[in-house]
Structures are given as structure tokens and as C-alpha cells.
Amino acid sequence: KFSFDRVFAPNEGQDAVFGEVSEFVQSALDGYNVCLFSYGQTGSGKTYTMQGTGSGQMGLIPRSIEQIGQYKSTLEADGWNYSIHVTFLEIYNESIRDLLRESDEVFVKHEIKIGDDGNRTVTNLTVKQLDPNDKNAVSSVLQLAARRRSVASTDMNAVSSRSHSVFTLNLTAKHEERNQ
């Protein structure tokens, strides 16, 4: 038996889904680690929910970045400096692939490492600095990742991604005068 906090009707749009989870974005802005996880069977809309269509139907990732951009603009006026770095990877056939790599080649080996502080990182990933208020840059990063995803047909979906993807956004805020 499973219980759910919320189930969305088929006619509810991306804005309703984001409305439900936008408080998590605020928690990240407040300094907490946050994870938004999309789970479901092949063809159920996980990629659509997280990334959107790129043609006006923004998913959770671009909406979250947009919310961060609004917050960033407000607090920079108060002396805060923000830097945002993103990575995007997929796990396909038990291999890690960098979705933001510069070349089409997939020869770089990626490993999951545990640091002395207990944090887990993936080696050799492309890290992109991102201005959340630059819609073209945000779109470019998401489009590059979408082009790099592995796809194959299944009985359920003609262009299933057949992989798991992980988008990571690292947000750093500093206020030099307050030494924070």
C-alpha cells in the first residue's frame, strides 16, 4: 500500500506541479540541501515534469532556476553575491555520462567518490556557471543535456530516455561586508 501527499489530475499543468514544490526551492535559497525526485514508469512524464518541452511548457528545473533568479536580483541589491554552478549527468547501462560535455564523444570515465567529509561527488563532470536571469543560457544548458541523453524505443514509448538523469545546482551566496 502506498500513500501520497498529492496526486495531480491529467488536466493540471506544470504551474500546478511547481506551485506544490516551489517551497523546496525557497528552502534551497535559505541554505538547505534539497532534492526533487521524479519517479514513474516509462512514458509517465518524468522528463516532461522536470525539464518541460522547451516550447513554453517549463518544467521544474527551469521554473526553479527562474525563481532563484528573481531572489538573486532582489538580494544582490542588498549586497549579496551569488554564484550558480550546474552539472547534468545520466546513468545509462550502469555507466555515468556527462550531459554537458563539450564534445559528442563519451570517452571520459566518471566515478562516484566519497570525500573525507562524507560528501559524494562524481568525477570529471563539466561544471557550467549559470546566470539564472539569462533565459538563453538556461535554455542552452537544458537543450544540450536533452541532445546528449540516450534514447531507445520501448513497447511503452518510441523515444524513451532509457536512463536516469541527475541535474545538480550548487548555489553559493556571500555577503562580504557582513562576513557571511
Side-chain angles (χ1 to χ4, degrees):
K1 180 179 175 186
F2 295 98
S3 64
F4 300 95
D5 292 332
R6 174 86 198 280
V7 175
F8 295 93
N11 63 338
E12 291 185 85
Q14 293 280 38
D15 55 337
V17 177
F18 185 70
E20 190 72 19
V21 301
S22 64
E23 291 179 17
F24 289 106
V25 177
Q26 185 59 52
S27 293
L29 290 164
D30 292 340
Y32 294 95
N33 291 328
V34 174
C35 175
L36 297 177
F37 185 78
S38 182
Y39 179 80
Q41 71 183 38
T42 298
S44 63
K46 299 175 296 294
T47 299
Y48 172 74
T49 298
M50 296 307 283
Q51 292 178 241
T53 62
S55 59
Q57 286 294 321
M58 292 195 319
L60 295 181
I61 293 171
R63 287 174 191 266
S64 298
I65 293 170
E66 182 177 70
Q67 182 177 339
I68 290 167
Q70 292 165 353
Y71 189 81
K72 175 182 180 274
S73 295
T74 301
L75 289 182
E76 280 182 337
D78 191 34
W80 287 91
N81 293 315
Y82 280 86
S83 77
I84 296 166
H85 295 87
V86 299
T87 61
F88 213 147
L89 65 88
E90 79 172 339
I91 302 168
Y92 180 74
N93 285 339
E94 300 183 26
S95 294
I96 299 170
R97 294 182 177 184
D98 182 354
L99 297 178
L100 299 181
R101 66 189 181 273
E102 296 298 322
S103 119
D104 288 336
E105 304 300 322
V106 191
F107 297 116
V108 177
K109 181 173 174 67
H110 304 283
E111 297 178 309
I112 300 171
K113 298 284 185 179
I114 301 174
D116 294 337
D117 57 3
N119 286 331
R120 289 169 174 77
T121 57
V122 178
T123 62
N124 303 315
L125 286 178
T126 302
V127 178
K128 298 238 182 217
Q129 186 164 357
L130 191 63
D131 177 354
N133 292 312
D134 183 344
K135 291 181 189 277
N136 289 333
V138 172
S139 178
S140 176
V141 163
L142 295 177
Q143 287 173 5
L144 175 61
R147 282 194 312 272
R148 300 264 191 256
R149 289 282 309 263
S150 302
V151 294
S153 66
T154 68
D155 290 339
M156 295 283 292
N157 187 342
V159 289
S160 173
S161 63
R162 308 286 296 164
S163 67
H164 305 281
S165 68
V166 178
F167 175 80
T168 304
L169 185 146
N170 289 304
L171 173 64
T172 305
K174 291 184 181 180
H175 195 293
E176 298 295 331
E177 290 177 15
R178 296 181 191 167
N179 201 26
Q180 293 178 309

